[in-house]
């Protein structure tokens, strides 16, 4: 059985904007799933439909075999979504809010789990303060705790580590990884593609409301990722429109001032020579060149046609 099956989901906002176009995705049970897409791709719309804060125009979503769009109460108990804001009186403490949230889902009080969550989300010191006094980062972590407090089988984390410093981010990922190892299916959006590559075993990329890739991380990096010919010049490269056109066949991108051209193998032959000659003609002889295997970020940027970073 799959954790989530999304079929032909469409969303047209009242403004007429079509934010999702026939989105179909399968999230296998127990996976660590990355949902990636540039700004405006439709990720929040999709998550908000799952969280029941936006209504789908058409299509279906099934959560562990239940129709999520009709069995809302069941869905809420089994899906953990980070709320947009703390829906409790700000004079309650984080500890009280977590107990209330469990109660709201009809679950028994669980001191040990609430303490564990407070500790893992580094809120123990602030557990009994009034929530209004917490910093923005602490409030965000409390929202993550709220999504987890009823031990949902499937958890959706929308940018859980945005604006969190590197050390804490690592500890948060460790915790989420542990939950996943214990059987929780995790669907995650993040702008940290290096981390997504390391953590996630499945990845879907959406662009302009459509799914453009959905597969295991291993197969994306094995089958879709290719090599790049990287050309360094005396000055950091900035591509003119005419140069982009001339290099179009090689999906040119500039990474940290270095020109990167996508190499393809055809019948066992790489187009390395053609790429090198094209770079020479468009920008002159490079200072040096090297080959680099594409990582998730390269594949993401190539598939979504972003040519600079
Ligand atoms: P992402 O989360 O990937 O950045 P969103 O789902 O927020 O993307 O947005 C997808 C598209 O839908 C964007 O073009 C956005 O401007 C539009 N959009 C989002 N919310 C609304 C809304 N309430 N009304 C009209 N258009 C919206």
């Amino acid at each position: 059985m799959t954790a989530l099956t999304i079929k032909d989901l469409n969303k047209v906002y009242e403004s007429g904007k079509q934010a999702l176009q026939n989105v179909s995705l399968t999230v296998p049970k127990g996976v660590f799933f990355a949902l990636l897409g540039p700004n405006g791709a439709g990720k929040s719309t999709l998550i908000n439909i799952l969280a029941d804060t936006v209504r789908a125009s058409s299509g279906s979503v099934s959560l562990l075999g239940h129709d999520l769009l009709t069995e809302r109460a069941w869905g809420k108990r089994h899906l953990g979504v980070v709320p947009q804001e703390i829906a409790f009186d700000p004079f309650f403490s984080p500890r009280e809010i977590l107990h209330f949230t469990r109660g709201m889902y009809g679950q028994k009080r669980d001191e040990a789990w609430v303490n564990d969550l407070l500790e893992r989300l580094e809120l123990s010191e602030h557990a009994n303060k009034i929530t209004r006094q917490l910093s923005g980062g602490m409030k965000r972590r409390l929202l993550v705790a709220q999504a987890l407090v009823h031990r949902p089988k499937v958890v959706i984390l929308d940018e859980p580590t945005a604006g969190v410093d590197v050390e804490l981010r690592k500890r948060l990922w460790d915790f989420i990884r542990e939950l996943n190892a214990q059987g929780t299916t995790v669907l995650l959006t993040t702008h940290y593609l290096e981390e997504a590559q390391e953590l996630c075993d499945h990845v879907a990329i959406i662009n302009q409301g459509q799914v453009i890739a959905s597969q295991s991380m291993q197969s994306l990096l094995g089958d879709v990722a290719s090599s790049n010919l990287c050309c360094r010049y005396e000055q950091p490269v900035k591509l003119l429109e005419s140069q982009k056109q001339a290099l179009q066949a090689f999906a040119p991108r500039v990474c940290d001032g270095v020109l990167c051209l996508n190499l393809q193998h055809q019948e066992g032959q790489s187009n390395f020579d053609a790429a090198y000659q094209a770079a020479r003609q468009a920008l002159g002889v490079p200072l040096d060149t090297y080959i680099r295997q594409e990582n998730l970020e390269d594949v993401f940027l190539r598939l979504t046609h972003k040519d600079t970073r």
Side-chain angles (χ1 to χ4, degrees):
M1 207 207 295
T2 59
L4 265 175
T5 308
I6 297 167
K7 267 203 197 129
D8 297 327
L9 203 61
N10 283 284
K11 174 64 193 177
V12 183
Y13 284 107
E14 270 173 30
S15 64
K17 169 78 196 174
Q18 176 143 24
L20 297 177
Q21 230 181 86
N22 295 326
V23 166
S24 292
L25 279 176
T26 301
V27 179
K29 238 174 158 178
V31 296
F32 208 133
F33 194 102
L35 175 67
L36 309 176
N39 286 337
K43 303 176 299 293
S44 307
T45 301
L46 176 58
I47 289 176
N48 290 338
I49 290 173
L50 301 177
D52 195 23
T53 55
V54 164
R55 198 156 286 277
S57 304
S58 64
S60 67
V61 182
S62 122
L63 173 74
L64 300 165
H66 291 249
D67 182 342
L68 191 65
L69 302 185
T70 56
E71 296 180 54
R72 281 299 178 184
W74 191 92
K76 285 209 161 77
R77 280 204 310 278
H78 292 86
L79 188 66
V81 187
V82 179
Q84 314 250 321
E85 55 191 44
I86 297 168
F88 284 103
D89 193 304
F91 288 96
F92 289 134
S93 69
R95 185 187 300 283
E96 286 169 322
I97 286 179
L98 292 181
H99 283 305
F100 292 153
T101 308
R102 263 187 80 84
M104 215 172 67
Y105 293 118
Q107 294 194 344
K108 279 203 308 236
R109 215 175 153 83
D110 187 341
E111 297 287 346
W113 175 232
V114 166
N115 280 336
D116 207 17
L117 269 179
L118 287 165
E119 194 183 316
R120 297 304 298 265
L121 291 163
E122 309 197 11
L123 290 167
S124 294
E125 264 182 59
H126 315 283
N128 302 317
K129 289 184 182 166
I130 58 170
T131 299
R132 211 167 75 148
Q133 289 174 340
L134 302 187
S135 71
M138 290 171 199
K139 281 186 190 142
R140 241 195 103 64
R141 297 201 305 274
L142 177 58
L143 291 172
V144 175
Q146 269 195 288
L148 299 172
V149 73
H150 55 304
R151 291 190 187 269
K153 301 233 173 4
V154 182
V155 174
I156 296 178
L157 300 169
D158 191 4
E159 295 284 348
T161 55
V164 173
D165 72 53
V166 182
E167 279 308 304
L168 177 55
R169 209 155 77 214
K170 262 184 71 172
R171 293 195 293 271
L172 276 180
W173 288 134
D174 283 345
F175 178 44
I176 295 167
R177 215 197 302 244
E178 272 174 43
L179 290 175
N180 177 243
Q182 290 159 9
T184 309
T185 305
V186 181
L187 188 146
L188 170 85
T189 72
T190 181
H191 275 94
Y192 300 103
L193 295 189
E194 243 180 83
E195 293 175 350
Q197 180 172 344
E198 196 193 314
L199 288 163
C200 298
D201 38 32
H202 270 65
V203 57
I205 302 178
I206 58 174
N207 194 29
Q208 296 179 355
Q210 289 180 300
V211 178
I212 55 170
S214 178
Q215 58 204 105
S216 73
M217 185 70 76
Q218 205 179 16
S219 78
L220 187 82
L221 294 178
D223 303 342
V224 180
S226 52
S227 304
N228 273 338
L229 168 65
C230 302
C231 304
R232 210 159 52 80
Y233 289 86
E234 214 156 313
Q235 299 294 327
V237 172
K238 273 203 177 132
L239 286 178
L240 304 171
E241 207 43 55
S242 57
Q243 293 168 326
K244 280 187 197 170
Q245 295 270 322
L247 296 167
Q248 202 180 9
F250 307 98
R253 284 212 303 116
V254 178
C255 311
D256 302 325
V258 175
L259 173 68
C260 297
L261 299 178
N262 186 245
L263 296 178
Q264 300 291 334
H265 287 263
Q266 269 176 2
E267 291 160 13
Q269 289 261 313
S270 150
N271 58 352
F272 175 92
D273 284 338
Y276 181 75
Q277 291 307 333
R280 250 183 76 158
Q281 275 190 6
L283 284 96
V285 178
L287 274 185
D288 73 71
T289 57
Y290 52 92
I291 302 281
R292 188 170 61 78
Q293 182 65 17
E294 283 189 317
N295 57 22
L296 177 63
E297 181 156 358
D298 296 311
V299 173
F300 173 82
L301 293 173
R302 178 159 58 83
L303 295 183
T304 57
H305 306 296
K306 297 261 181 224
D307 54 11
T308 51
R309 92 159 96 119

